[in-house]
């Protein structure tokens, strides 16, 4: 009779490679709302560099280069401009991989003061309330928690610095976590409950992780969001069901750094609104 050994919990620990790690990111987004369809594709090269480690966590730099965006119309134009805020980040993460401090936030704020003048010059005739939007970005930099929340929402940080380390991951037991997408429905956020699991793939040489998300009903302002869409579409008697699907898959290399990762999210509201996004991150030799 064959004896089956019990599956043990496993800690995923950073090896801290000192040489820079280079990646390529591609994100494709589809938004269908009120019979209007918008497509956007973003590509970028990203370099992650380990700086130092102490007992409480690790310091990294994350630099985005060669960012290109296919859609430069309407709100997408502003998204492209505001991506500048996350072009060069120095991040301190705790031992779980969660960002606790944006070390160079003050420098970003000082640089933004001058950069926003160029943005205003380019778009003052085409974007309404451009001053309010640019001042809002500066105010965001004053609030470290809000800025960290914005960074954690980004596809780059989601896939490059996942909070999966030193947490006794198990093939059988799910680790319960949370993720917030601020201002997803106009002024309302999209909060998700995340279940993180180590995949049971006996043929895999390195660790593989899956993170499944669903609406966090304890934080989700369902009634307010439904009222927002009823008002937006002038249909007070409309029944609004909000369906959300979210998935991350993470392949780690032998040092437990990300080798390849995918993020997929879908949000649908009856026949009124449909959002689809797929992001893929892949380690490359150089940028």
């Amino acid at each position: 009779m064959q004896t089956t050994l019990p599956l043990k919990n496993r800690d995923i620990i950073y090896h801290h490679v000192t040489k820079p790690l280079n990646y390529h990111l591609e994100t494709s987004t589809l938004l269908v709302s009120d019979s209007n369809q918008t497509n956007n594709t973003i590509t970028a090269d990203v370099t992650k560099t380990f700086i130092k480690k102490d007992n409480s966590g690790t310091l990294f730099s994350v630099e985005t280069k060669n960012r290109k965006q296919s859609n430069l119309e309407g709100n997408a134009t502003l998204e492209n401009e505001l991506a500048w805020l996350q072009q060069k980040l120095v991040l301190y993460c705790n031992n779980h991989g969660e960002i606790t401090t944006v070390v160079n936030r003050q420098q970003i704020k000082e640089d933004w003061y001058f950069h926003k003048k160029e943005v205003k010059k380019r778009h003052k005739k085409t974007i309404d309330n451009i001053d309010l939007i640019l001042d809002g970005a500066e105010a965001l930099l004053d609030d470290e928690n809000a800025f960290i929340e914005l960074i954690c929402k980004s596809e780059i940080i989601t896939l490059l610095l996942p909070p999966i380390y030193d947490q006794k991951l198990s093939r059988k037991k799910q680790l319960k976590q949370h993720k917030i997408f601020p201002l997803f429905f106009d002024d309302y956020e999209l909060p998700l409950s995340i279940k993180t699991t180590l995949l049971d793939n006996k043929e895999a040489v390195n660790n593989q992780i899956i993170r499944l998300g669903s609406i966090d009903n304890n934080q989700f302002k369902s009634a307010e969001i439904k009222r927002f869409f009823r008002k937006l579409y002038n249909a007070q008697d409309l029944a609004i069901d909000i369906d959300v699907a979210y998935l991350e898959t993470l392949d780690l290399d032998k040092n437990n750094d990300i080798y390849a990762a995918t993020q997929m999210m879908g949000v649908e509201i009856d026949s009124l609104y449909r959002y689809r996004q797929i992001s893929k991150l892949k380690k490359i030799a150089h940028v």
Side-chain angles (χ1 to χ4, degrees):
M1 179 177 178
Q2 184 177 3
T3 302
T4 303
L5 296 175
L7 290 171
K8 296 181 179 179
N9 292 346
R10 185 182 301 183
D11 276 349
I12 310 297
I13 306 295
Y14 274 130
H15 181 67
H16 299 117
V17 179
T18 54
K19 67 178 182 179
L21 300 173
N22 300 308
Y23 298 87
H24 182 73
L25 174 80
E26 181 170 337
T27 296
S28 298
T29 304
L30 167 68
L31 174 61
V32 180
S33 179
D34 194 24
S35 299
N36 295 318
Q37 179 171 313
T38 303
N39 295 278
N40 195 17
T41 299
I42 297 171
T43 60
D45 295 318
V46 185
T47 298
K48 171 190 168 187
T49 306
F50 166 74
I51 299 175
K52 68 176 183 178
K53 176 176 172 54
D54 58 28
N55 291 333
S56 300
T58 307
L59 191 65
F60 294 103
S61 71
V62 178
E63 185 173 359
T64 302
K65 308 171 186 177
N66 306 321
R67 186 183 186 279
K68 296 178 182 178
Q69 183 170 310
S70 65
N71 186 345
L72 294 174
E73 298 180 0
N75 291 335
T77 301
L78 198 56
E79 177 188 350
N80 188 57
E81 294 286 9
L82 294 179
W84 181 93
L85 295 171
Q86 301 181 55
Q87 184 174 303
K88 294 182 179 181
L89 298 170
V90 180
L91 305 172
Y92 185 78
C93 301
N94 63 22
N95 289 325
H96 295 322
E98 300 163 329
I99 299 170
T100 59
T101 307
V102 183
V103 177
N104 65 329
R105 180 170 57 94
Q106 188 59 40
Q107 185 62 56
I108 295 172
K109 182 179 178 181
E110 292 174 7
D111 292 343
W112 174 250
Y113 177 80
F114 298 101
H115 183 74
K116 73 176 184 179
K117 294 179 181 180
E118 297 299 320
V119 177
K120 180 180 178 180
K121 187 184 297 185
R122 286 194 290 269
H123 302 293
K124 64 181 179 180
K125 294 182 180 180
T126 57
I127 297 179
D128 295 334
N129 300 319
I130 185 68
D131 287 316
L132 288 176
I133 294 168
L134 297 179
D135 289 344
E138 188 167 352
L140 178 70
L141 290 167
D142 285 329
D143 185 339
E144 183 166 41
N145 289 333
F147 191 44
I148 288 174
E149 194 173 81
L150 176 69
I151 291 170
C152 291
K153 169 194 171 185
S154 74
E155 298 78 30
I156 291 173
I157 299 303
T158 292
L159 298 178
L160 191 61
L161 292 173
I164 59 172
Y165 296 91
D166 194 24
Q167 301 195 71
K168 297 286 191 293
L169 285 179
S170 169
R171 299 176 191 272
K172 295 252 178 162
K173 184 178 180 182
Q174 295 172 327
L175 177 66
K176 295 182 179 179
Q177 299 176 302
H178 301 276
K179 186 175 183 68
I180 293 176
F181 291 87
L183 305 179
F184 191 90
F185 302 107
D186 197 48
D187 290 333
Y188 300 103
E189 64 186 25
L190 174 59
L192 298 181
S193 294
I194 304 289
K195 295 178 180 178
T196 301
T197 308
L198 186 67
L199 289 182
D200 188 7
N201 187 345
K202 296 178 181 178
E203 297 180 358
V205 176
N206 303 316
N207 291 312
Q208 296 178 309
I209 292 168
I210 186 167
R211 306 182 77 221
L212 285 170
S214 58
I215 292 177
D216 184 344
N217 291 311
N218 292 326
Q219 298 186 57
F220 189 57
K221 298 185 183 300
S222 177
E224 291 90 333
I225 292 170
K226 288 181 179 182
R227 281 197 295 269
F228 164 73
F229 275 97
R230 289 189 181 110
K231 183 178 180 180
L232 181 65
Y233 292 103
N234 193 27
Q236 298 304 315
D237 58 345
L238 186 67
I240 297 179
D241 293 322
I242 302 172
D243 183 37
V244 175
Y246 183 85
L247 171 69
E248 293 173 28
T249 61
L250 310 169
D251 291 342
L252 308 185
D253 63 18
K254 63 181 181 180
N255 298 314
N256 287 329
D257 274 303
I258 297 297
Y259 176 78
T262 300
Q263 177 196 41
M264 293 183 284
M265 181 162 69
V267 180
E268 191 157 350
I269 301 179
D270 293 337
S271 57
L272 298 177
Y273 175 97
R274 182 158 53 96
Y275 176 88
R276 297 284 185 272
Q277 180 173 290
I278 300 177
S279 298
K280 294 186 177 183
L281 186 75
K282 178 73 172 179
K283 190 176 178 182
I284 58 177
H286 57 82
V287 170

